[in-house]
Amino acid sequence: MNPITTRLAGVTHGDAQANINKYGGPGIGDFDLVRELDNPHDPNAIKVAYLGEIFLGYVPALVAATLAPLMDEGQKFIAEFVRINRAPGQDTIGMTVRIDERKAQKNAQAG
């Protein structure tokens, strides 16, 4: 699968704004994609989290609809920081990430 670059959804929910301010930047490392099987709004929901638990936002629904079935079958993905999104004159920030297959999985397949 080719990498997918996308803006996170749900960045105003919970602690996402504070977490993006603290952890959303180059050099922090990769972010985990975590399925939320019990999400009442989207059965394909995938949250993006630092260290698997620190909520940053969600994979947009259209992208999640493609990735969720693959994740449910055991395929692993990571999200890498691309940039912070900030509209002029707005306090709310967002984040763009690049989603790709987990690197360890790629290396195992290559060997």
Side-chain angles (χ1 to χ4, degrees):
M1 185 182 106
N2 291 326
I4 299 168
T5 300
T6 187
R7 291 180 178 210
L8 297 185
V11 297
T12 58
H13 296 293
D15 294 331
Q17 287 292 292
N19 293 338
I20 291 170
N21 271 309
K22 187 170 184 178
Y23 302 107
I28 196 76
D30 298 330
F31 304 108
D32 297 312
L33 271 60
V34 181
R35 284 283 280 121
E36 276 194 355
L37 298 172
D38 60 349
N39 186 307
H41 304 288
D42 183 358
N44 294 315
I46 303 170
K47 75 176 177 180
V48 178
Y50 180 58
L51 300 176
E53 296 182 15
I54 300 170
F55 176 73
L56 299 164
Y58 286 98
V59 172
L62 289 174
V63 176
T66 298
L67 296 181
L70 298 173
M71 291 177 72
D72 294 345
E73 292 177 0
Q75 194 163 352
K76 306 290 184 193
F77 296 91
I78 56 166
E80 301 167 340
F81 175 83
V82 174
R83 70 180 157 271
I84 292 293
N85 310 315
R86 185 183 312 267
Q90 299 293 318
D91 292 332
T92 303
I93 61 169
M95 192 166 76
T96 297
V97 297
R98 181 183 298 90
I99 299 170
D100 201 356
E101 295 175 74
R102 187 172 295 277
K103 293 173 185 165
Q105 183 176 352
K106 282 187 187 176
N107 293 338
Q109 290 175 352

